[in-house]
Amino acid sequence: MFNDEDKTLEYILGNPTNEAIFKNCFKPIFSDEIEFENIAVVYDLDTFIYRKIRELLESKEAISSDDVISLYKKFKIPKRVLNNLLSQFDIEDDRDLKVAMDIVEELKNIIFLREMALLVYFRWKRASTSIFCTQLANIKYARWSARVDYENQYNANESRMKTKIAQQRWGNRVEEQKAFYLSLYEKRCLELNKKLAATSVAEWIASHHNNYKITYERILELLREAVRENKK
């Protein structure tokens, strides 16, 4: 039976939650390209890590903060599990793969520390070690969330500046391009009957529908702007 103190500490140690990680760190990375709403990847990794930590702690009579750090540094995701997680992403190229790998690594680090905090407390009542784990988990979560927010804001500001310069030079042509690329994006998704990453559609446009004779990078930038604005 848990007392009120246990319940309070369980709430503290259980942060950041899977929902918070997904909402603030995970989903924003994909918001410009696809509606990636499959939170299952977070829960799948959580379930695997929880089971592995329980196995790691079974033979231990006690655990210290130094022991936690040692286990944390050694903890790896098996290739089979990693491939299963990556299969839930829409990976079109090496860039997408790197983004997916970085996300899984960040998730692994935060979830490992959070689940370790909970298991250590409820097995040994080692509040100091558990709080140590929680503090590390929340530091990593806060840094990841802040970085994602900064990168999104930086990209949005850079995009607005480039659009302003282009509009001053080309007038309504920029809006015409975005509308054109958005229509092709929707057409391509409909043809293949699935949501596509902006990267793959931009490559297709550059190869087959480059009416404005501009670079792939510029097509991708305008397409992402169009998709984002269309969601508002």
Side-chain angles (χ1 to χ4, degrees):
M1 177 80 64
F2 294 152
N3 57 37
D4 290 341
E5 182 180 347
D6 285 336
K7 291 178 180 178
T8 300
L9 197 51
E10 180 182 16
Y11 174 78
I12 294 171
L13 300 178
N15 282 292
T17 64
N18 288 338
E19 289 77 8
I21 295 170
F22 180 74
K23 178 182 177 182
N24 298 317
C25 300
F26 192 91
K27 192 173 180 181
I29 298 173
F30 296 91
S31 61
D32 286 355
E33 297 188 11
I34 53 176
E35 287 288 345
F36 193 91
E37 297 178 347
N38 188 5
I39 196 173
V41 68
V42 183
Y43 279 98
D44 287 350
L45 186 56
D46 184 6
T47 300
F48 168 76
I49 290 175
Y50 174 80
R51 290 173 178 169
K52 295 305 292 184
I53 292 176
R54 288 195 64 175
E55 291 175 10
L56 290 171
L57 298 183
E58 276 182 3
S59 60
K60 294 185 177 296
E61 296 181 359
I63 193 167
S64 66
S65 297
D66 289 340
D67 293 329
V68 168
I69 293 299
S70 178
L71 291 172
Y72 169 79
K73 289 180 177 179
K74 294 177 182 177
F75 190 79
K76 304 293 182 184
I77 302 175
K79 188 174 182 179
R80 174 184 57 80
V81 176
L82 179 60
N83 289 339
N84 181 56
L85 294 168
L86 293 176
S87 70
Q88 299 183 54
F89 292 80
D90 286 334
I91 297 175
E92 298 286 343
D93 52 29
D94 289 343
R95 173 187 173 276
D96 293 342
L97 177 60
K98 184 180 185 306
V99 169
M101 292 285 287
D102 288 346
I103 288 173
V104 171
E105 181 67 17
E106 293 279 11
L107 283 173
K108 181 206 74 174
N109 292 338
I110 294 170
I111 292 173
F112 178 92
L113 290 166
R114 185 193 65 200
E115 295 304 312
M116 180 66 79
L118 288 164
L119 287 167
V120 165
Y121 180 73
F122 287 108
R123 179 166 180 176
W124 292 294
K125 299 294 184 182
R126 293 291 300 272
S128 60
T129 303
S130 294
I131 290 172
F132 168 77
C133 294
T134 296
Q135 288 175 331
L136 282 182
N138 279 281
I139 288 171
K140 289 183 175 296
Y141 166 72
R143 285 177 177 171
W144 189 17
S145 178
R147 187 173 74 249
V148 169
D149 184 62
Y150 170 79
E151 288 174 355
N152 284 347
Q153 188 62 44
Y154 175 84
N155 291 335
N157 289 339
E158 185 179 40
S159 179
R160 282 195 293 269
M161 181 61 69
K162 288 181 178 179
T163 298
K164 184 177 180 180
I165 293 171
Q167 286 176 333
Q168 289 174 346
R169 180 179 181 185
W170 300 107
N172 292 331
R173 181 176 173 180
V174 173
E175 295 305 317
E176 292 174 2
Q177 286 175 284
K178 288 197 289 187
F180 177 60
Y181 297 146
L182 180 62
S183 67
L184 288 174
Y185 173 81
E186 293 173 341
K187 175 184 177 183
R188 189 64 171 165
C189 290
L190 188 62
E191 287 176 349
L192 299 179
N193 195 31
K194 66 176 182 177
K195 290 182 179 179
L196 300 169
T199 49
S200 64
V201 178
E203 289 177 356
W204 174 71
I205 292 173
S207 299
H208 303 286
H209 299 279
N210 198 354
N211 298 16
Y212 293 95
K213 306 299 181 185
I214 60 177
T215 65
Y216 157 78
E217 288 76 16
R218 181 59 176 158
I219 292 172
L220 177 60
E221 181 181 358
L222 291 173
L223 177 58
R224 282 175 168 165
E225 283 183 28
V227 171
R228 181 171 59 247
E229 291 168 2
N230 191 53
K231 293 177 182 178
K232 295 179 180 178

